[in-house]
Amino acid sequence: MIGEHSSKQYDHELEAIRSKVLLMGGMVETQFEGAMECFRVGNDETADRVMADDHAVNQLEVSLDDACSHLIVRRQPAANDLRTVFATIKVITDLERIGDESSKIARTSKSLHSRGAVNGLNHYDMMRTIAVATTEMLHDALDAFARLDGKQAMAIIAQDALIDHEFKSILRNLITFMMEDPRTISSALDTLWVAKAIERIGDHAKNIAEYVIYVVEGKDIRHTKPAEPEKSAP
């Protein structure tokens, strides 16, 4: 009975942590959406809110890290339970970094619009595809984490190739702009900074999906290449 009570208490504490992680995920999703809205139309109030929200995300990271550490010490989880706690800690770190990248986008967007430096680049249209794809990827990664859905996680990892392709396309376009009109160099570099931040958010979403697979299957697939199909015998 004591063991059963301890197990139920552990499950309750872990679920409470997971709920707060998903709350944190919702916060960074809102941050990213606000940052991209600021990039699209320029709104100092929105930019300031995104940057201010980053402090709340940071505080939540500290609180959740502490809760996970105490859970390990008190409950001493083993096997899959320990994997779940470790993966949750990693997810918390990635979410905090997504908040940082969103704050960078908001700060850079505020500077771009205040200088009136966005008119010649058609900057948001250039960024639309990567922004939409990354928004969906982040949402799906959080959904996979909430449901511990390994299949969905694998699909998310595959989407990262699109994000990388779009970033390279944006880089080529911006280089062309700078070569053709040196007056666009400053705004093009700022726009590239935003594109890189979006690409990094995609990387963090991919990381979250990889941690889901680690929990579900016990496999660490980070830094591994997809398996190649076997060749048929001659």
Side-chain angles (χ1 to χ4, degrees):
M1 290 297 293
I2 294 175
E4 182 181 353
H5 172 77
S6 177
S7 176
K8 287 182 178 178
Q9 185 64 22
Y10 166 81
D11 290 342
H12 174 75
E13 291 178 15
L14 182 59
E15 190 55 38
I17 289 172
R18 281 173 50 80
S19 294
K20 285 188 177 180
V21 172
L22 291 172
L23 171 64
M24 185 179 181
M27 291 170 66
V28 300
E29 274 193 283
T30 300
Q31 263 190 292
F32 181 44
E33 290 168 4
M36 292 313 303
E37 179 68 10
C38 181
F39 183 68
R40 185 175 69 86
V41 300
N43 186 311
D44 286 355
E45 205 172 293
T46 301
D48 291 340
R49 186 177 70 248
V50 170
M51 289 184 281
D53 287 347
D54 197 42
H55 296 294
V57 170
N58 291 343
Q59 289 300 314
L60 195 50
E61 180 199 21
V62 172
S63 172
L64 283 166
D65 277 347
D66 186 62
C68 288
S69 298
H70 278 81
L71 184 64
I72 292 172
V73 171
R74 286 198 309 269
R75 304 299 174 188
Q76 298 182 357
N80 186 59
D81 286 339
L82 189 59
R83 287 205 309 268
T84 300
V85 177
F86 281 154
T88 300
I89 292 171
K90 295 284 192 178
V91 169
I92 292 164
T93 299
D94 276 292
L95 289 175
E96 188 275 333
R97 289 175 180 170
I98 290 171
D100 287 344
E101 298 296 343
S102 297
S103 188
K104 288 178 189 176
I105 294 170
R107 185 165 54 249
T108 304
S109 300
K110 185 176 180 180
S111 174
L112 271 168
H113 283 278
S114 68
R115 302 197 317 266
V118 298
N119 297 327
L121 280 177
N122 201 14
H123 67 297
Y124 184 76
D125 285 346
M126 187 187 304
M127 214 73 68
R128 186 188 306 274
T129 300
I130 193 174
V132 170
T134 302
T135 299
E136 292 176 353
M137 191 174 175
L138 174 57
H139 180 80
D140 290 347
L142 290 168
D143 185 57
F145 176 75
R147 298 187 295 111
L148 293 180
D149 188 331
K151 288 183 179 180
Q152 184 178 16
M154 286 300 297
I156 291 163
I157 292 169
Q159 293 172 22
D160 190 54
L162 170 63
I163 306 295
D164 293 341
H165 173 78
E166 284 299 320
F167 174 73
K168 291 174 183 176
S169 176
I170 291 167
L171 176 59
R172 287 193 298 268
N173 287 335
L174 289 172
I175 289 173
T176 301
F177 275 118
M178 289 187 283
M179 291 176 63
E180 292 179 349
D181 185 356
R183 292 173 299 178
T184 66
I185 289 176
S186 178
S187 57
L189 289 175
D190 280 343
T191 302
L192 179 60
W193 183 248
V194 170
K196 184 60 180 176
I198 297 171
E199 189 261 345
R200 288 295 300 139
I201 290 173
D203 286 342
H204 291 304
K206 177 186 175 185
N207 290 347
I208 293 170
E210 289 175 341
Y211 300 138
V212 171
I213 294 169
Y214 176 62
V215 172
V216 174
E217 300 183 13
K219 296 177 183 177
D220 187 348
I221 63 169
R222 293 174 299 169
H223 314 303
T224 60
K225 295 181 180 179
E228 295 182 2
E230 295 183 4
K231 295 181 179 178
S232 57

